[in-house]
Amino acid sequence: MADSSFDIVSKVERQEVDNALNQAAKEVSQRYDFKGVGASIAWSGEKILMQANSEERVKAILDVFQSKLIKRGISLKALDADEPQLSGKEYKIFASIQEGISQENAKKVAKIIRDEGPKGVKAQVQGEELRVTSKSRDDLQAVIALLKAQDLDFALQFVNYR
């Protein structure tokens, strides 16, 4: 019998982020507490730009956007938001969506699998993802449960389970 395997990736569906951003923009334009404060949220190149005339308002826009991401099933670990910055008379927050597993994070996950996972499970880094292989599917299930229980600072998805 051939080895079973799955891939560990960190991907975010761009369309879902776009939908969450559009929902947040609509809510910001309609909410009473955002009237007359120059509040807005929109794409600015590859980053998301939130702006308002006070620090509290711009943080409230970020909160609205985060709630929309959660409703769309996107982990907040994928969102990297900067601190509010004063730019002229407006406060701005730039946020970006993190995709892919960096080399050091991939090594960290592979070390967790080696140290705490079942014996006979191998993890190898392949670009921005990890391939985990084993003869036993039960061991692969145990690895998935192990990684879900870890408090990692980046989002993980498990794909190509065969």
Side-chain angles (χ1 to χ4, degrees):
M1 191 169 113
D3 284 359
S4 300
S5 69
F6 68 90
D7 294 334
I8 302 173
V9 296
S10 182
K11 290 193 171 112
V12 175
E13 192 150 337
R14 173 78 179 208
Q15 185 61 49
E16 289 297 326
V17 175
D18 218 26
N19 292 342
L21 185 116
N22 291 336
Q23 286 179 336
K26 186 172 183 182
E27 183 171 325
V28 165
S29 70
Q30 292 177 342
R31 265 181 42 182
Y32 177 76
D33 58 334
F34 287 125
K35 294 271 189 258
V37 295
S40 68
I41 177 171
W43 285 105
S44 173
E46 282 298 303
K47 291 188 174 260
I48 298 162
L49 171 65
M50 293 161 259
Q51 55 190 24
N53 66 0
S54 73
E55 190 173 349
E56 293 80 35
R57 287 286 156 244
V58 80
K59 284 182 177 176
I61 295 171
L62 177 61
D63 193 46
V64 168
F65 182 53
Q66 287 174 335
S67 72
K68 299 300 179 191
L69 286 174
I70 291 170
K71 283 183 183 170
R72 294 222 154 250
I74 298 170
S75 171
L76 290 183
K77 293 178 181 179
L79 180 71
D80 182 27
D82 299 338
E83 287 300 309
Q85 301 164 338
L86 183 59
S87 171
K89 290 184 176 179
E90 289 192 325
Y91 282 88
K92 295 182 178 185
I93 294 179
F94 285 98
S96 59
I97 303 297
Q98 302 297 335
E99 287 198 289
I101 302 174
S102 67
Q103 286 296 323
E104 63 265 10
N105 285 340
K107 288 177 183 172
K108 198 186 306 181
V109 171
K111 183 173 177 7
I112 290 170
I113 293 171
R114 256 194 333 274
D115 294 348
E116 300 176 33
K119 299 288 177 238
V121 175
K122 293 187 271 312
Q124 60 195 98
V125 179
Q126 296 179 333
E128 292 191 332
E129 59 184 46
L130 252 84
R131 164 91 21 108
V132 180
T133 57
S134 173
K135 292 201 181 307
S136 164
R137 286 181 167 232
D138 291 341
D139 288 350
L140 293 180
Q141 294 284 350
V143 168
I144 291 174
L146 169 73
L147 292 176
K148 283 184 177 179
Q150 297 290 323
D151 186 28
L152 301 169
D153 55 350
F154 51 97
L156 293 179
Q157 291 86 35
F158 306 101
V159 295
N160 295 339
Y161 187 81
R162 0 183 130 75

